[in-house]
Amino acid sequence: MRKDVRILLVGEPKVGKTSLIMTLVSEEFPAVVPYRAEEITIPADVTPERVPTHIVDYSGIKQEYIYYLCSPFTVCVCFRVPLILVGNKSDLVEHSSMETVLPIMNKYTEIETCVECSAKNLKNISELFYYAQKAVLHPTGPLYCPEKKE
Ligand code: GTP
Ligand code: MG
């Protein structure tokens, strides 16, 4: 059984990574957010899967570094890192972004699921972190990728 789950939020600048974390914690949309949220740990007894969950805001760490961090691990050790594709700021769009998202999901099989949310409207915030926790604990895709072995 897993001891804990670590969720990293990565993405383009200003997509709302820090806002999503702060909204989850305070249950309200913060008017002002720091550049980067402190790492938070959600105790096991308040998570749906009863596993302590650490949430890390990757703002401020260069994308190259993230690539460096994930890529050798994925390729050499051959364990897949499950990804959740998050479409934040759904309050700003009238239509669902599924048409854009489906081709991306088909191309990258390591994406477990996608979720549209809005930190501003508190929509799908706890769900998003639950999906991420679930993706780690009960991944649906293969965890071992033989084609990447060498
Ligand atoms: P960096 O740390 O600079 O990479 O940005 P970030 O991804 O952490 O984004 P941040 O949380 O700082 O939010 C950027 C801007 O988007 C802020 O002005 C937020 O108020 C706004 N924002 C965040 N989430 C939402 C949302 O769901 N809807 C709307 N309308 N605005 C949002
Ligand atoms: Mg940030």
Side-chain angles (χ1 to χ4, degrees):
M1 184 119 172
R2 272 191 87 99
K3 279 214 305 280
D4 52 9
V5 168
R6 203 169 188 79
I7 299 171
L8 313 180
L9 281 91
V10 294
E12 295 287 309
K14 306 294 168 210
V15 290
K17 302 176 293 292
T18 306
S19 299
L20 285 170
I21 297 174
M22 311 267 299
T23 303
L24 176 79
V25 174
S26 65
E27 292 178 356
E28 60 183 3
F29 181 59
V32 182
V33 290
Y35 183 51
R36 187 176 181 204
E38 293 289 324
E39 176 170 335
I40 61 160
T41 298
I42 305 177
D45 57 351
V46 293
T47 70
E49 297 277 346
R50 302 277 182 257
V51 176
T53 299
H54 311 279
I55 301 178
V56 180
D57 186 353
Y58 257 48
S59 286
I61 299 178
K62 280 185 165 179
Q63 297 289 328
E64 293 87 338
Y65 179 68
I66 295 165
Y67 181 76
Y68 172 76
L69 202 78
C70 299
S71 157
F73 182 75
T74 332
V75 177
C76 304
V77 189
C78 297
F79 287 101
R80 197 185 61 134
V81 179
L83 299 176
I84 301 280
L85 193 58
V86 180
N88 187 34
K89 307 195 185 182
S90 65
D91 55 286
L92 296 179
V93 290
E94 282 184 15
H95 303 290
S96 158
S97 48
M98 278 302 154
E99 272 176 33
T100 322
V101 161
L102 279 177
I104 304 174
M105 298 239 353
N106 288 336
K107 186 166 172 197
Y108 300 100
T109 52
E110 55 272 57
I111 301 176
E112 279 284 330
T113 189
C114 62
V115 55
E116 284 179 310
C117 64
S118 165
K120 190 170 184 180
N121 288 353
L122 308 184
K123 189 187 148 206
N124 275 347
I125 304 301
S126 49
E127 286 83 350
L128 143 67
F129 289 98
Y130 174 51
Y131 294 155
Q133 197 185 50
K134 220 169 125 226
V136 176
L137 297 171
H138 315 289
T140 58
L143 281 175
Y144 180 66
C145 308
E147 74 271 20
K148 289 184 182 167
K149 206 167 175 177
E150 52 276 310

mmCIF file with all atom_site columns, all heavy atoms in Angstrom, residues 90-106:
data_model
loop_
_atom_site.group_PDB
_atom_site.id
_atom_site.type_symbol
_atom_site.label_atom_id
_atom_site.label_alt_id
_atom_site.label_comp_id
_atom_site.label_asym_id
_atom_site.label_entity_id
_atom_site.label_seq_id
_atom_site.pdbx_PDB_ins_code
_atom_site.Cartn_x
_atom_site.Cartn_y
_atom_site.Cartn_z
_atom_site.occupancy
_atom_site.B_iso_or_equiv
_atom_site.pdbx_formal_charge
_atom_site.auth_seq_id
_atom_site.auth_comp_id
_atom_site.auth_asym_id
_atom_site.auth_atom_id
_atom_site.pdbx_PDB_model_num
ATOM 1   N N   . SER A 1 90  ? -12.570 27.806 -16.552 1.00 0.00 ? 90  SER A N   1
ATOM 2   C CA  . SER A 1 90  ? -13.719 27.445 -17.375 1.00 0.00 ? 90  SER A CA  1
ATOM 3   C C   . SER A 1 90  ? -14.796 28.528 -17.307 1.00 0.00 ? 90  SER A C   1
ATOM 4   O O   . SER A 1 90  ? -15.674 28.585 -18.166 1.00 0.00 ? 90  SER A O   1
ATOM 5   C CB  . SER A 1 90  ? -14.285 26.088 -16.964 1.00 0.00 ? 90  SER A CB  1
ATOM 6   O OG  . SER A 1 90  ? -14.799 26.153 -15.660 1.00 0.00 ? 90  SER A OG  1
ATOM 7   N N   . ASP A 1 91  ? -14.703 29.405 -16.289 1.00 0.00 ? 91  ASP A N   1
ATOM 8   C CA  . ASP A 1 91  ? -15.670 30.509 -16.202 1.00 0.00 ? 91  ASP A CA  1
ATOM 9   C C   . ASP A 1 91  ? -15.521 31.496 -17.359 1.00 0.00 ? 91  ASP A C   1
ATOM 10  O O   . ASP A 1 91  ? -16.434 32.252 -17.660 1.00 0.00 ? 91  ASP A O   1
ATOM 11  C CB  . ASP A 1 91  ? -15.486 31.248 -14.864 1.00 0.00 ? 91  ASP A CB  1
ATOM 12  C CG  . ASP A 1 91  ? -14.056 31.740 -14.649 1.00 0.00 ? 91  ASP A CG  1
ATOM 13  O OD1 . ASP A 1 91  ? -13.160 30.916 -14.365 1.00 0.00 ? 91  ASP A OD1 1
ATOM 14  O OD2 . ASP A 1 91  ? -13.816 32.932 -14.790 1.00 0.00 ? 91  ASP A OD2 1
ATOM 15  N N   . LEU A 1 92  ? -14.355 31.474 -18.024 1.00 0.00 ? 92  LEU A N   1
ATOM 16  C CA  . LEU A 1 92  ? -14.115 32.437 -19.106 1.00 0.00 ? 92  LEU A CA  1
ATOM 17  C C   . LEU A 1 92  ? -14.549 31.926 -20.483 1.00 0.00 ? 92  LEU A C   1
ATOM 18  O O   . LEU A 1 92  ? -14.556 32.685 -21.441 1.00 0.00 ? 92  LEU A O   1
ATOM 19  C CB  . LEU A 1 92  ? -12.623 32.809 -19.165 1.00 0.00 ? 92  LEU A CB  1
ATOM 20  C CG  . LEU A 1 92  ? -12.034 33.531 -17.945 1.00 0.00 ? 92  LEU A CG  1
ATOM 21  C CD1 . LEU A 1 92  ? -10.549 33.791 -18.150 1.00 0.00 ? 92  LEU A CD1 1
ATOM 22  C CD2 . LEU A 1 92  ? -12.764 34.838 -17.688 1.00 0.00 ? 92  LEU A CD2 1
ATOM 23  N N   . VAL A 1 93  ? -14.840 30.640 -20.564 1.00 0.00 ? 93  VAL A N   1
ATOM 24  C CA  . VAL A 1 93  ? -15.234 30.103 -21.875 1.00 0.00 ? 93  VAL A CA  1
ATOM 25  C C   . VAL A 1 93  ? -16.685 29.636 -21.856 1.00 0.00 ? 93  VAL A C   1
ATOM 26  O O   . VAL A 1 93  ? -17.164 29.114 -20.851 1.00 0.00 ? 93  VAL A O   1
ATOM 27  C CB  . VAL A 1 93  ? -14.305 28.939 -22.342 1.00 0.00 ? 93  VAL A CB  1
ATOM 28  C CG1 . VAL A 1 93  ? -12.925 29.456 -22.689 1.00 0.00 ? 93  VAL A CG1 1
ATOM 29  C CG2 . VAL A 1 93  ? -14.218 27.838 -21.317 1.00 0.00 ? 93  VAL A CG2 1
ATOM 30  N N   . GLU A 1 94  ? -17.357 29.832 -22.970 1.00 0.00 ? 94  GLU A N   1
ATOM 31  C CA  . GLU A 1 94  ? -18.757 29.446 -23.022 1.00 0.00 ? 94  GLU A CA  1
ATOM 32  C C   . GLU A 1 94  ? -18.928 27.974 -23.360 1.00 0.00 ? 94  GLU A C   1
ATOM 33  O O   . GLU A 1 94  ? -19.849 27.320 -22.912 1.00 0.00 ? 94  GLU A O   1
ATOM 34  C CB  . GLU A 1 94  ? -19.493 30.296 -24.052 1.00 0.00 ? 94  GLU A CB  1
ATOM 35  C CG  . GLU A 1 94  ? -19.808 31.672 -23.505 1.00 0.00 ? 94  GLU A CG  1
ATOM 36  C CD  . GLU A 1 94  ? -20.611 32.499 -24.479 1.00 0.00 ? 94  GLU A CD  1
ATOM 37  O OE1 . GLU A 1 94  ? -21.164 31.911 -25.436 1.00 0.00 ? 94  GLU A OE1 1
ATOM 38  O OE2 . GLU A 1 94  ? -20.663 33.721 -24.288 1.00 0.00 ? 94  GLU A OE2 1
ATOM 39  N N   . HIS A 1 95  ? -17.981 27.479 -24.172 1.00 0.00 ? 95  HIS A N   1
ATOM 40  C CA  . HIS A 1 95  ? -18.131 26.103 -24.625 1.00 0.00 ? 95  HIS A CA  1
ATOM 41  C C   . HIS A 1 95  ? -17.097 25.210 -23.966 1.00 0.00 ? 95  HIS A C   1
ATOM 42  O O   . HIS A 1 95  ? -16.050 25.667 -23.529 1.00 0.00 ? 95  HIS A O   1
ATOM 43  C CB  . HIS A 1 95  ? -17.987 26.032 -26.146 1.00 0.00 ? 95  HIS A CB  1
ATOM 44  C CG  . HIS A 1 95  ? -18.964 26.916 -26.848 1.00 0.00 ? 95  HIS A CG  1
ATOM 45  N ND1 . HIS A 1 95  ? -20.307 26.637 -26.874 1.00 0.00 ? 95  HIS A ND1 1
ATOM 46  C CD2 . HIS A 1 95  ? -18.794 28.089 -27.502 1.00 0.00 ? 95  HIS A CD2 1
ATOM 47  C CE1 . HIS A 1 95  ? -20.926 27.602 -27.537 1.00 0.00 ? 95  HIS A CE1 1
ATOM 48  N NE2 . HIS A 1 95  ? -20.032 28.492 -27.922 1.00 0.00 ? 95  HIS A NE2 1
ATOM 49  N N   . SER A 1 96  ? -17.398 23.954 -23.927 1.00 0.00 ? 96  SER A N   1
ATOM 50  C CA  . SER A 1 96  ? -16.452 22.984 -23.384 1.00 0.00 ? 96  SER A CA  1
ATOM 51  C C   . SER A 1 96  ? -15.240 22.882 -24.319 1.00 0.00 ? 96  SER A C   1
ATOM 52  O O   . SER A 1 96  ? -15.357 23.043 -25.531 1.00 0.00 ? 96  SER A O   1
ATOM 53  C CB  . SER A 1 96  ? -17.145 21.633 -23.278 1.00 0.00 ? 96  SER A CB  1
ATOM 54  O OG  . SER A 1 96  ? -16.203 20.617 -23.251 1.00 0.00 ? 96  SER A OG  1
ATOM 55  N N   . SER A 1 97  ? -14.076 22.646 -23.742 1.00 0.00 ? 97  SER A N   1
ATOM 56  C CA  . SER A 1 97  ? -12.861 22.564 -24.557 1.00 0.00 ? 97  SER A CA  1
ATOM 57  C C   . SER A 1 97  ? -12.535 21.130 -24.970 1.00 0.00 ? 97  SER A C   1
ATOM 58  O O   . SER A 1 97  ? -11.421 20.833 -25.365 1.00 0.00 ? 97  SER A O   1
ATOM 59  C CB  . SER A 1 97  ? -11.689 23.180 -23.794 1.00 0.00 ? 97  SER A CB  1
ATOM 60  O OG  . SER A 1 97  ? -11.654 22.665 -22.492 1.00 0.00 ? 97  SER A OG  1
ATOM 61  N N   . MET A 1 98  ? -13.517 20.250 -24.871 1.00 0.00 ? 98  MET A N   1
ATOM 62  C CA  . MET A 1 98  ? -13.285 18.830 -25.167 1.00 0.00 ? 98  MET A CA  1
ATOM 63  C C   . MET A 1 98  ? -12.715 18.582 -26.563 1.00 0.00 ? 98  MET A C   1
ATOM 64  O O   . MET A 1 98  ? -11.890 17.693 -26.748 1.00 0.00 ? 98  MET A O   1
ATOM 65  C CB  . MET A 1 98  ? -14.586 18.032 -25.016 1.00 0.00 ? 98  MET A CB  1
ATOM 66  C CG  . MET A 1 98  ? -14.873 17.657 -23.598 1.00 0.00 ? 98  MET A CG  1
ATOM 67  S SD  . MET A 1 98  ? -13.513 16.698 -22.907 1.00 0.00 ? 98  MET A SD  1
ATOM 68  C CE  . MET A 1 98  ? -13.689 17.041 -21.198 1.00 0.00 ? 98  MET A CE  1
ATOM 69  N N   . GLU A 1 99  ? -13.159 19.387 -27.529 1.00 0.00 ? 99  GLU A N   1
ATOM 70  C CA  . GLU A 1 99  ? -12.664 19.186 -28.897 1.00 0.00 ? 99  GLU A CA  1
ATOM 71  C C   . GLU A 1 99  ? -11.162 19.390 -28.990 1.00 0.00 ? 99  GLU A C   1
ATOM 72  O O   . GLU A 1 99  ? -10.478 18.734 -29.753 1.00 0.00 ? 99  GLU A O   1
ATOM 73  C CB  . GLU A 1 99  ? -13.355 20.159 -29.855 1.00 0.00 ? 99  GLU A CB  1
ATOM 74  C CG  . GLU A 1 99  ? -14.637 19.607 -30.393 1.00 0.00 ? 99  GLU A CG  1
ATOM 75  C CD  . GLU A 1 99  ? -15.369 20.610 -31.271 1.00 0.00 ? 99  GLU A CD  1
ATOM 76  O OE1 . GLU A 1 99  ? -14.681 21.396 -31.954 1.00 0.00 ? 99  GLU A OE1 1
ATOM 77  O OE2 . GLU A 1 99  ? -16.603 20.600 -31.253 1.00 0.00 ? 99  GLU A OE2 1
ATOM 78  N N   . THR A 1 100 ? -10.651 20.314 -28.185 1.00 0.00 ? 100 THR A N   1
ATOM 79  C CA  . THR A 1 100 ? -9.212  20.572 -28.182 1.00 0.00 ? 100 THR A CA  1
ATOM 80  C C   . THR A 1 100 ? -8.489  19.482 -27.402 1.00 0.00 ? 100 THR A C   1
ATOM 81  O O   . THR A 1 100 ? -7.367  19.089 -27.731 1.00 0.00 ? 100 THR A O   1
ATOM 82  C CB  . THR A 1 100 ? -8.925  21.919 -27.461 1.00 0.00 ? 100 THR A CB  1
ATOM 83  O OG1 . THR A 1 100 ? -9.950  22.840 -27.793 1.00 0.00 ? 100 THR A OG1 1
ATOM 84  C CG2 . THR A 1 100 ? -7.573  22.459 -27.810 1.00 0.00 ? 100 THR A CG2 1
ATOM 85  N N   . VAL A 1 101 ? -9.150  19.016 -26.365 1.00 0.00 ? 101 VAL A N   1
ATOM 86  C CA  . VAL A 1 101 ? -8.497  18.133 -25.410 1.00 0.00 ? 101 VAL A CA  1
ATOM 87  C C   . VAL A 1 101 ? -8.400  16.676 -25.900 1.00 0.00 ? 101 VAL A C   1
ATOM 88  O O   . VAL A 1 101 ? -7.390  16.015 -25.700 1.00 0.00 ? 101 VAL A O   1
ATOM 89  C CB  . VAL A 1 101 ? -9.267  18.214 -24.062 1.00 0.00 ? 101 VAL A CB  1
ATOM 90  C CG1 . VAL A 1 101 ? -8.966  17.031 -23.177 1.00 0.00 ? 101 VAL A CG1 1
ATOM 91  C CG2 . VAL A 1 101 ? -8.929  19.517 -23.359 1.00 0.00 ? 101 VAL A CG2 1
ATOM 92  N N   . LEU A 1 102 ? -9.421  16.233 -26.593 1.00 0.00 ? 102 LEU A N   1
ATOM 93  C CA  . LEU A 1 102 ? -9.440  14.816 -26.995 1.00 0.00 ? 102 LEU A CA  1
ATOM 94  C C   . LEU A 1 102 ? -8.226  14.389 -27.832 1.00 0.00 ? 102 LEU A C   1
ATOM 95  O O   . LEU A 1 102 ? -7.626  13.354 -27.544 1.00 0.00 ? 102 LEU A O   1
ATOM 96  C CB  . LEU A 1 102 ? -10.748 14.475 -27.701 1.00 0.00 ? 102 LEU A CB  1
ATOM 97  C CG  . LEU A 1 102 ? -11.903 14.201 -26.736 1.00 0.00 ? 102 LEU A CG  1
ATOM 98  C CD1 . LEU A 1 102 ? -13.194 13.942 -27.504 1.00 0.00 ? 102 LEU A CD1 1
ATOM 99  C CD2 . LEU A 1 102 ? -11.599 13.053 -25.785 1.00 0.00 ? 102 LEU A CD2 1
ATOM 100 N N   . PRO A 1 103 ? -7.837  15.177 -28.858 1.00 0.00 ? 103 PRO A N   1
ATOM 101 C CA  . PRO A 1 103 ? -6.650  14.775 -29.619 1.00 0.00 ? 103 PRO A CA  1
ATOM 102 C C   . PRO A 1 103 ? -5.390  14.697 -28.743 1.00 0.00 ? 103 PRO A C   1
ATOM 103 O O   . PRO A 1 103 ? -4.543  13.831 -28.946 1.00 0.00 ? 103 PRO A O   1
ATOM 104 C CB  . PRO A 1 103 ? -6.501  15.883 -30.668 1.00 0.00 ? 103 PRO A CB  1
ATOM 105 C CG  . PRO A 1 103 ? -7.811  16.567 -30.733 1.00 0.00 ? 103 PRO A CG  1
ATOM 106 C CD  . PRO A 1 103 ? -8.458  16.390 -29.403 1.00 0.00 ? 103 PRO A CD  1
ATOM 107 N N   . ILE A 1 104 ? -5.291  15.577 -27.758 1.00 0.00 ? 104 ILE A N   1
ATOM 108 C CA  . ILE A 1 104 ? -4.113  15.553 -26.867 1.00 0.00 ? 104 ILE A CA  1
ATOM 109 C C   . ILE A 1 104 ? -4.137  14.278 -26.026 1.00 0.00 ? 104 ILE A C   1
ATOM 110 O O   . ILE A 1 104 ? -3.128  13.603 -25.843 1.00 0.00 ? 104 ILE A O   1
ATOM 111 C CB  . ILE A 1 104 ? -4.098  16.795 -25.936 1.00 0.00 ? 104 ILE A CB  1
ATOM 112 C CG1 . ILE A 1 104 ? -4.156  18.079 -26.759 1.00 0.00 ? 104 ILE A CG1 1
ATOM 113 C CG2 . ILE A 1 104 ? -2.879  16.773 -25.020 1.00 0.00 ? 104 ILE A CG2 1
ATOM 114 C CD1 . ILE A 1 104 ? -4.286  19.350 -25.948 1.00 0.00 ? 104 ILE A CD1 1
ATOM 115 N N   . MET A 1 105 ? -5.324  13.934 -25.539 1.00 0.00 ? 105 MET A N   1
ATOM 116 C CA  . MET A 1 105 ? -5.461  12.718 -24.718 1.00 0.00 ? 105 MET A CA  1
ATOM 117 C C   . MET A 1 105 ? -5.115  11.475 -25.526 1.00 0.00 ? 105 MET A C   1
ATOM 118 O O   . MET A 1 105 ? -4.517  10.535 -25.011 1.00 0.00 ? 105 MET A O   1
ATOM 119 C CB  . MET A 1 105 ? -6.892  12.586 -24.204 1.00 0.00 ? 105 MET A CB  1
ATOM 120 C CG  . MET A 1 105 ? -7.281  13.716 -23.332 1.00 0.00 ? 105 MET A CG  1
ATOM 121 S SD  . MET A 1 105 ? -7.799  13.369 -21.664 1.00 0.00 ? 105 MET A SD  1
ATOM 122 C CE  . MET A 1 105 ? -7.934  11.689 -21.414 1.00 0.00 ? 105 MET A CE  1
ATOM 123 N N   . ASN A 1 106 ? -5.518  11.488 -26.796 1.00 0.00 ? 106 ASN A N   1
ATOM 124 C CA  . ASN A 1 106 ? -5.237  10.329 -27.641 1.00 0.00 ? 106 ASN A CA  1
ATOM 125 C C   . ASN A 1 106 ? -3.752  10.206 -27.929 1.00 0.00 ? 106 ASN A C   1
ATOM 126 O O   . ASN A 1 106 ? -3.218  9.099  -28.026 1.00 0.00 ? 106 ASN A O   1
ATOM 127 C CB  . ASN A 1 106 ? -6.011  10.433 -28.956 1.00 0.00 ? 106 ASN A CB  1
ATOM 128 C CG  . ASN A 1 106 ? -7.479  10.192 -28.739 1.00 0.00 ? 106 ASN A CG  1
ATOM 129 O OD1 . ASN A 1 106 ? -7.864  9.542  -27.765 1.00 0.00 ? 106 ASN A OD1 1
ATOM 130 N ND2 . ASN A 1 106 ? -8.312  10.737 -29.609 1.00 0.00 ? 106 ASN A ND2 1
#
